[in-house]
Amino acid sequence: MYDDSPEESIYDDFYTYIFKDHSLGYNILGTKETVPALNRQNILDFIKTHYTADKLVLSIVGDLTIKQAENLGARFVQNITIPQLDKSKRIVPAFNPQFTVSKEKDFAQTHVILGSRAYSRNDEKRYGLSLINNILGGAGMSARLNMEVREKNALVYNIGTHYSSYQDSGVFSIYYAADDKNVQRCQDIIFKELKKMREIKFSEYQLKSAKIQLLGQMAQIVENNGARMQHQARSVLDYGIIYGFKEFMKEIDNVTAIQIMDISNEIFAPENISVLIYQQEK
């Protein structure tokens, strides 16, 4: 089933290339060789090493008091022994050269992902890139790539961008699927839009509209209790505090048009963009 889902497997392959020889590039599903070799002791050893008290967070959204939450958490941990610290050392991923890779696959369309390394979750520029991500390929139908590649030229059914930030690195990517004969046209349009981001400064109205759209989408997300619960836990794990929606709003509001151009010139420089293509078998 996994091999029949190119929209998923192409991301895993892209990360394997962009984070070559680093754990961030490993496929979390494993391989045909590693999965059969996995045994119970391997799993227990991994849990003992990495599931430690310094990484244990209980996040609750609901009508509970602090005392009730503490009692609930105690029920799950009072009868088990949890190591205090994860003593494993994280290795910062090296920057690997730009690449262009094409693989023939038995799919109905050609699938393409292009992108580059980006900012970590601790970099202040992440706010500007989050805004750029929404402008180019966010959830709204008015995203630039959706308008240019799909709506105006009818070359794809779906196109989107994705920004993933990690402790010491990040990735910005663009994904789409198209008939093989249309791939070059898609690429030309995409690179044209990236060039606009690098060279054309946003007007005050454009920037304000982009911010309102992103913050509106975020406001809808935080209304979901499940999403809020996960956000709280991740915020504590990543930053040691609950980083709320108001703080995010403030940071986005501080992003300037010049910063948008500067970030675009860093992330979208042609020499930084790598490409992976799942080409239709001929």
Side-chain angles (χ1 to χ4, degrees):
M1 291 179 65
Y2 171 76
D3 288 335
D4 293 331
S5 303
E7 66 280 1
E8 295 181 16
S9 60
I10 195 169
Y11 273 97
D12 291 334
D13 278 354
F14 187 76
Y15 273 56
T16 298
Y17 285 108
I18 208 165
F19 289 119
K20 185 179 180 182
D21 299 324
H22 190 274
S23 56
L24 282 174
Y26 297 164
N27 190 323
I28 62 171
L29 294 178
T31 67
K32 292 179 180 178
E33 293 74 33
T34 60
V35 172
L38 190 66
N39 58 46
R40 182 175 183 272
Q41 191 58 49
N42 295 146
I43 297 173
L44 293 176
D45 289 343
F46 185 88
I47 292 173
K48 185 178 180 180
T49 301
H50 299 290
Y51 284 64
T52 51
D54 58 317
K55 294 181 177 179
L56 182 61
V57 175
L58 175 62
S59 178
I60 297 175
V61 174
D63 187 19
L64 271 74
T65 65
I66 294 294
K67 187 62 178 178
Q68 288 173 320
E70 290 175 348
N71 291 338
L72 181 62
R75 286 172 49 195
F76 294 101
V77 299
Q78 61 187 356
N79 295 322
I80 60 175
T81 300
I82 303 175
Q84 290 299 306
L85 295 173
D86 181 351
K87 297 181 181 179
S88 60
K89 294 183 178 180
R90 184 179 178 89
I91 300 173
V92 178
F95 275 88
N96 294 307
Q98 176 199 39
F99 61 85
T100 298
V101 177
S102 182
K103 299 180 177 182
E104 283 200 354
K105 296 279 187 174
D106 185 19
F107 296 132
Q109 288 186 308
T110 291
H111 296 257
V112 182
I113 185 169
L114 57 153
S116 65
R117 291 279 288 272
Y119 308 120
S120 75
R121 64 175 179 235
N122 296 306
D123 196 311
E124 291 300 314
K125 294 180 183 179
R126 71 186 186 274
Y127 301 106
L129 187 54
S130 295
L131 186 57
I132 291 170
N133 179 55
N134 206 58
I135 291 167
L136 281 174
M141 294 296 289
S142 61
R144 287 191 173 190
L145 293 180
N146 186 73
M147 291 298 298
E148 293 298 323
V149 182
R150 171 179 165 157
E151 299 300 325
K152 290 185 181 180
N153 291 281
L155 297 173
V156 301
Y157 178 74
N158 180 51
I159 182 169
T161 61
H162 188 68
Y163 169 40
S164 296
S165 60
Y166 305 104
Q167 181 176 327
D168 41 31
S169 186
V171 176
F172 183 90
S173 58
I174 302 169
Y175 164 79
Y176 68 90
D179 291 338
D180 194 59
K181 64 181 180 180
N182 293 328
V183 168
Q184 190 56 55
R185 285 186 64 198
C186 291
Q187 295 288 82
D188 291 342
I189 294 170
I190 290 169
F191 277 94
K192 181 180 178 181
E193 290 303 312
L194 297 183
K195 184 178 181 182
K196 287 181 182 179
M197 294 295 297
R198 297 195 307 268
E199 298 180 355
I200 301 176
K201 182 181 176 182
F202 272 50
S203 68
E204 185 177 339
Y205 173 78
Q206 287 175 318
L207 186 59
K208 183 178 180 179
S209 297
K211 291 177 179 180
I212 290 173
Q213 184 181 46
L214 175 58
L215 293 175
Q217 293 169 357
M218 291 299 297
Q220 288 182 319
I221 292 174
V222 298
E223 288 299 315
N224 181 293
N225 284 341
R228 178 177 293 184
M229 179 183 67
Q230 292 185 45
H231 169 76
Q232 289 180 171
R234 292 201 58 164
S235 181
V236 171
L237 286 171
D238 291 345
Y239 303 108
I241 61 172
I242 295 179
Y243 190 75
F245 179 57
K246 289 183 179 179
E247 289 78 11
F248 180 79
M249 286 178 62
K250 181 180 179 181
E251 296 292 349
I252 292 296
D253 195 49
N254 287 336
V255 175
T256 67
I258 292 297
Q259 288 174 334
I260 294 290
M261 289 183 68
D262 289 344
I263 291 170
S264 296
N265 275 283
E266 288 184 13
I267 303 300
F268 304 144
E271 64 271 17
N272 292 336
I273 297 177
S274 295
V275 183
L276 175 61
I277 302 173
Y278 281 177
Q279 192 169 24
Q280 289 174 278
E281 287 186 343
K282 298 178 181 178

